[in-house]
Amino acid sequence: AQTVTQSQPEMSVQEAETVTLSCTYDTSESDYYLFWYKQPPSRQMILVIRQEAYKQQNATENRFSVNFQKAAKSFSLKISDSQLGDAAMYFCAYRGQGAQKLVFGQGTRLTINP
Amino acid sequence: EAQVTQNPRYLITVTGKKLTVTCSQNMNHEYMSWYRQDPGLGLRQIYYSMNVEVTDKGDVPEGYKVSRKEKRNFPLILESPSPNQTSLYFCASSPTPLPGQGSGNTIYFGEGSWLTVV
């Protein structure tokens, strides 16, 4: 079974600085999808960024980018120019090709210091 | 606006009193699912449905029922709630995942339903 591990329960960063959240996963599949979701205090699950495993190019969405290392099974999220509104719990998630569910990591709580 | 809508958002109920959490999506998605979120455990799938009248168990189905009579709706039923079902519940939907279609593999979540069973 696939597993997703986020080894940093909590992270903090100064406003306007850059922070990287780590995620590793375990799978025997070759085709799959990886996601980062943001959960602010409202507890809503908001999609931040998506990466298809068959694409070598790292996904980017404005200030958010990923470092996808398929061989190492690593999928880190980089947030540039951190803003107070970025404070949230961040979940890394995996979905196999055609799979019926997302497998989530335990989450990383990100604090932004003004 | 594309969205997944859950109701109620907040509910306190008593042990054994049947309740239903409704979920509706307006994106014509085939796939729908329920997750629960508990501290330290992330989100875990309860049930899922690949289309109308097609449902199957996820990782933690005990104590729950679902039905999919219409494509847009996927209610979660707790026939006899117990305190260990106190949790934050999410409904989710996506198109049928197809190879090479990243957007089709993205799962969209509702705003969550806080359920407390006393």
Side-chain angles (χ1 to χ4, degrees):
Chain A
Q2 294 83 14
T3 58
V4 177
T5 302
Q6 294 177 248
S7 59
Q8 306 153 315
E10 297 183 353
M11 293 279 287
S12 64
V13 64
Q14 291 295 124
E15 191 175 5
E17 295 294 309
T18 296
V19 63
T20 298
L21 308 184
S22 300
C23 173
T24 58
Y25 58 94
D26 187 27
T27 184
S28 58
E29 298 176 309
S30 59
D31 197 12
Y32 49 87
Y33 302 84
L34 296 164
F35 307 86
W36 279 98
Y37 283 90
K38 170 185 177 181
Q39 189 177 49
S42 67
R43 305 306 291 269
Q44 187 174 0
M45 293 292 286
I46 301 167
L47 177 67
V48 174
I49 200 165
R50 175 186 66 238
Q51 175 78 44
E52 293 90 340
Y54 61 85
K55 290 186 177 179
Q56 292 187 338
Q57 186 174 6
N58 289 326
T60 61
E61 288 287 344
N62 301 313
R63 297 183 295 107
F64 298 87
S65 62
V66 298
N67 184 3
F68 173 49
Q69 301 289 327
K70 191 173 184 179
K73 296 179 183 175
S74 171
F75 182 61
S76 60
L77 175 69
K78 186 172 80 171
I79 306 174
S80 303
D81 186 25
S82 298
Q83 300 175 1
L84 294 178
D86 295 332
M89 181 74 86
Y90 286 82
F91 288 97
C92 179
Y94 169 102
R95 187 179 192 183
Q97 179 63 57
Q100 313 312 329
K101 69 177 182 182
L102 283 170
V103 178
F104 284 88
Q106 296 88 343
T108 297
R109 184 172 302 281
L110 178 64
T111 301
I112 311 296
N113 300 312
Chain B
E1 179 187 355
Q3 58 185 8
V4 180
T5 303
Q6 301 178 222
N7 280 294
R9 296 286 315 283
Y10 304 91
L11 179 65
I12 301 174
T13 190
V14 297
T15 299
K17 184 177 181 181
K18 179 180 178 180
L19 69 92
T20 299
V21 186
T22 64
C23 175
S24 180
Q25 50 94 3
N26 63 0
M27 295 171 278
N28 201 36
H29 286 166
E30 291 82 13
Y31 170 90
M32 297 186 74
S33 181
W34 279 100
Y35 290 79
R36 61 178 287 174
Q37 183 180 11
D38 302 291
L41 296 177
L43 280 79
R44 295 176 294 166
Q45 189 186 56
I46 303 170
Y47 267 95
Y48 67 91
S49 169
M50 292 305 294
N51 215 323
V52 176
E53 303 292 359
V54 181
T55 63
D56 209 344
K57 297 177 181 179
D59 295 322
V60 288
E62 294 77 20
Y64 304 94
K65 287 177 59 178
V66 293
S67 68
R68 187 92 181 271
K69 295 183 170 58
E70 302 169 286
K71 193 173 185 179
R72 63 182 291 126
N73 296 324
F74 190 47
L76 179 69
I77 303 159
L78 286 72
E79 293 272 2
S80 183
S82 62
N84 65 12
Q85 292 179 296
T86 293
S87 188
L88 175 59
Y89 290 86
F90 287 99
C91 182
S93 75
S94 80
T96 299
L98 296 173
Q101 293 190 6
S103 61
N105 284 277
T106 299
I107 294 179
Y108 299 92
F109 287 86
E111 292 182 307
S113 294
W114 284 97
L115 172 62
T116 300
V117 183
V118 298

